[in-house]
Amino acid sequence: MPVGLPMNERLLLGIALAVTITGLCWLALSLDAHWRQVRGPQRLKPANVKLLRALGAAALALSLGICLRVDHPSMASLVWVMALAASAMIVAFTLSWRPRWLAPLVIWIRPG
Amino acid sequence: MFSSFRHSMTWLHTWFGLVLGYVLVVVFFFGSLSVFDREIDRWAIPSSRFEAQPMPSFDRLLEPAFRSILPDEAEYEAADALVTQPLPPREQLEPEEWWAYTTHRDPVLGIGAGFGLPHPKDPEAHNHVHGSMTIDPRSGKVIPSDQLALGSGFFYPLHYSLHIEWLGLGYWIVGLAALVMLAALVSGVVMHRKVFRELFRFRPQKRTQRSALDLHNLTGIVALPFHFMFALSGLVIFSGIYLPVADTMLKPLHDAHEKEEEAQTGLPHDAAGVPAKLVSVDAMVAEAQRRWAARDMAGDVGFLVVNHVDDANLTVSVYRAGTDRIASVGEGVHFKGTTGEVLHEDPPQTQVSSVNEFVTGLHLQHFKHWLLRWFYFVGGLAGCACIATGFIFFVEKRKRQHAASGAGGSRWVDALAVATVTGMVVATLAMLVANRLLSEDLAGRDGWEKTAFWGTWLLAFFHAALRTTPMREARRSPAWSEQCALIAVLAVCAVLLNWISTGDHLLRTIGAGYWPVAGIDLTLLVGAVMAALTARRLWSSTPRQIAIDARGAAYE
């Protein structure tokens, strides 16, 4: 990113983007079709579906919080909405071409 | 007429989307380029490749520059019809107002003047001619106006007016397209139903019809808030054109409001007719900046207006640049020009005006936030991808049936899709190449650049139309891959020509941290790689794709 923001603000925005992507990955993996792309035939327990969705929602809330820390609220709201759009495309394309890359995000869920 | 609500929405989405999709994809693409309009200007006008500058000193630099502005020649000649006596020579018309506008991305400064017409036929009318110029704010030197600013002077107006000036028709077509965009988004969601369950679904290995629909849904849904807000805010920005109530139905109210405003702010609406002298404007700017800082909004000057020049009712308005928030300019502080005292300070905004400021500001994006700027660029291109895949889906769904019956519908849709999607990119790149190839002192250079753009676009359309023959057998038109290959070649040429003609290669621009030009070169190279990969995939996958498509068709 070109110059403009102090270093720590750029870092915070980078973290916000990473958190958004992670959150959307969890939301995607709570869907059966994408779960199977990443973990094969192992079934996802209903309790884990709920957990993944809760984690995803929490991550998105966290990223909004970080955006609000960096910018004026009017700007932060736009940054967050656009980060969601960009991240959703990144997650979708990763699932199309490299789904296994998402496996580390759910490594702690044991096969059920 | 329709058996269900969803059916009617599908009809609406398909046909309105198809017809106005051709307009929308142009609006989206050039809107995306307009996110970086100033940077494209720097690329296209190498003499302006220096760091952005703040508003320069009025007393030392701006005032002499303002005094040297002449009325626009065409406007001056047209004004002859508005007056009862012959106009004084162009150099002797008296200026009535001056303005200067800058943002945190402008190395050069745009300034302008308005001139009153003596002896008007209709004293109630506007009776003004205007003049403007661009100066180097470091020296006050005038930048010759014969070089076309490709970004802010060509791609940006193309985004909102399509360069159709006749009767202002371009604005209306774009406005209608924006309205249809809103309807297409809503009807698209109604048709789609499984919004969350299929949100992340894109299956490139499936047959074209399926994968195109996946990508259409994906880009349409994830960027939906962006697309909705931008279509809506675009309409809000031009609402004065679409619903000109201030000049028609509500004219008395509008005029009464102006009088009321004058009474409240103490800013005289009319000139006094008595000559007077302007005191130091730099001192007024310093006072405005002190007041912003006191409100915890320290900032730079974005917009400076002088009204009733050389008259006893002189006023100077200083507006803060909306660099750090979603606003163009604001927090105006207004001064009496003959004494320098503050007449009025804009009060904190009402709810309504702050909503308006947010909605228009988010679209006009004068803020300083490079991440958000890139997000907008990507969001706009996602819109292009959404519309392009909509065309492809339309064609894929019908091409076998049309091939069998000999109907030409899907062939025409496909040819127009190639011409608007890839042809538009080819034309843009041809313009960049022409910009670097044409000699800087060529007379009418800007005309040649425009010819390169429109001519290439027309050729791209003919190419697309001539290459649809394979579609008679329900095969893919080779025009897609050929124009993708051309995009890759032209994009690389543009980067190389920039290097050859200016010496600014990527190692130098990145090394110097000069991102306006480095960013454009890098984007061109990334675009070239993507176009080359697409072309290769289209070529190599043709036999395999035919097999998959045929199996899919048989399965149905």
Side-chain angles (χ1 to χ4, degrees), chain A residues 1-3 13 17 24 28 31 34 71-72 74-75 78-79 81-83 85-86 88-89 91-93 95-97, chain B residues 196-197 200 202 204 215 218 222-223 225-226 323-326 358 362 367-372 375-376 378 382 515:
Chain A
M1 196 167 69
V3 286
L13 285 177
L17 190 58
L24 286 176
L31 296 163
H34 298 308
D71 291 306
H72 189 267
S74 62
M75 189 105 79
L78 292 177
V79 172
V81 167
M82 296 309 293
M89 280 191 272
V91 173
F93 293 139
L95 282 167
S96 317
W97 284 297
Chain B
F196 178 60
R197 249 181 60 200
F200 303 98
F202 172 50
L215 199 55
L218 172 69
V222 300
F226 168 76
T323 308
D324 53 349
R325 41 205 79 198
I326 305 298
F358 179 73
L362 78 90
F367 48 75
K368 184 173 192 168
H369 200 301
W370 292 98
L371 178 66
L372 187 53
F375 277 156
Y376 276 7
V378 171
W515 290 103

Side-chain angles (χ1 to χ4, degrees), chain B residues 107-176:
Chain B
V108 295
L109 177 70
I111 63 174
F115 302 84
L117 298 175
H119 316 295
K121 278 182 189 158
D122 173 10
E124 291 296 300
H126 185 50
N127 297 318
H128 260 77
V129 288
H130 306 87
S132 61
M133 63 188 197
T134 307
I135 59 169
D136 181 338
R138 300 170 302 180
S139 62
K141 239 175 50 193
V142 180
I143 309 256
S145 60
D146 54 352
Q147 290 201 42
L148 180 64
L150 294 194
S152 57
F154 189 79
F155 296 148
Y156 180 46
L158 181 55
H159 161 63
Y160 59 77
S161 76
L162 307 172
H163 286 300
I164 304 176
E165 278 149 33
W166 183 66
L167 295 179
L169 196 64
Y171 296 106
W172 288 91
I173 297 174
V174 172
L176 179 66

Side-chain angles (χ1 to χ4, degrees), chain B residues 355-372:
Chain B
V355 168
N356 181 47
E357 182 184 74
F358 179 73
V359 170
T360 53
L362 78 90
H363 197 125
L364 298 174
Q365 47 192 283
H366 289 254
F367 48 75
K368 184 173 192 168
H369 200 301
W370 292 98
L371 178 66
L372 187 53

Side-chain angles (χ1 to χ4, degrees), chain B residues 399-455:
Chain B
K399 70 176 186 186
R400 254 166 243 97
Q401 200 191 340
H402 285 184
S405 68
S410 58
R411 278 176 70 187
W412 276 108
V413 169
D414 194 69
L416 280 169
V418 173
T420 40
V421 178
T422 52
M424 162 176 76
V425 185
V426 169
T428 304
L429 292 168
M431 194 177 199
L432 293 182
V433 168
N435 170 275
R436 291 293 84 228
L437 275 181
L438 296 168
S439 154
E440 297 217 338
D441 22 75
L442 174 75
R445 187 173 186 267
D446 55 341
W448 286 107
E449 286 171 305
K450 290 177 191 168
T451 308
F453 179 83
W454 297 114

Side-chain angles (χ1 to χ4, degrees), chain B residues 68-97:
Chain B
S68 70
I69 300 179
L70 292 181
D72 177 73
E73 222 169 327
E75 273 194 47
Y76 174 78
E77 268 157 34
D80 229 13
L82 302 173
V83 288
T84 53
Q85 292 176 28
L87 279 175
R90 205 151 70 95
E91 300 74 29
Q92 286 170 23
L93 270 184
E94 299 284 341
E96 284 191 353
E97 70 211 6

